[in-house]
Amino acid sequence: MSPDKLAYMANQIATFFRHAPREEAVSSIAEHISNFWEPRMRSQFFDLLAREKERFDPLVQDAGQQVRPIAEA
């Protein structure tokens, strides 16, 4: 997936949860990405967040620390 599309999707999730209190929004974003993004997408997310975190909404940046890691094969 392109970095632009991945960041767009993550930021859309943040927009959806923005109405919630910050802590709840962050955990909800992390839960959504953990539960619905396949491991390859999460891997790309972690890489892009590490390299270019400014692409992401601050809520997504904080949620990245709570996203479930990819299991080793």
Side-chain angles (χ1 to χ4, degrees):
M1 175 174 296
S2 79
D4 289 338
K5 178 69 173 175
L6 192 83
Y8 176 78
M9 289 173 61
N11 290 332
Q12 278 188 308
I13 298 166
T15 299
F16 181 81
F17 289 110
R18 185 165 313 289
H19 71 281
R22 184 173 184 79
E23 194 171 304
E24 183 181 332
V26 168
S27 65
S28 296
I29 294 163
E31 183 177 347
H32 182 90
I33 292 172
S34 294
N35 290 337
F36 297 107
W37 286 21
E38 66 171 7
R40 287 180 299 179
M41 285 177 67
R42 289 200 326 266
S43 179
Q44 286 180 301
F45 170 73
F46 290 133
D47 290 343
L48 189 58
L49 188 59
R51 286 190 333 257
E52 300 178 48
K53 77 176 193 175
E54 67 279 354
R55 285 180 175 258
F56 297 99
D57 183 287
L59 291 172
V60 176
Q61 292 176 23
D62 290 348
Q65 299 171 13
Q66 297 178 24
V67 172
R68 185 174 53 244
I70 290 102
E72 296 293 322

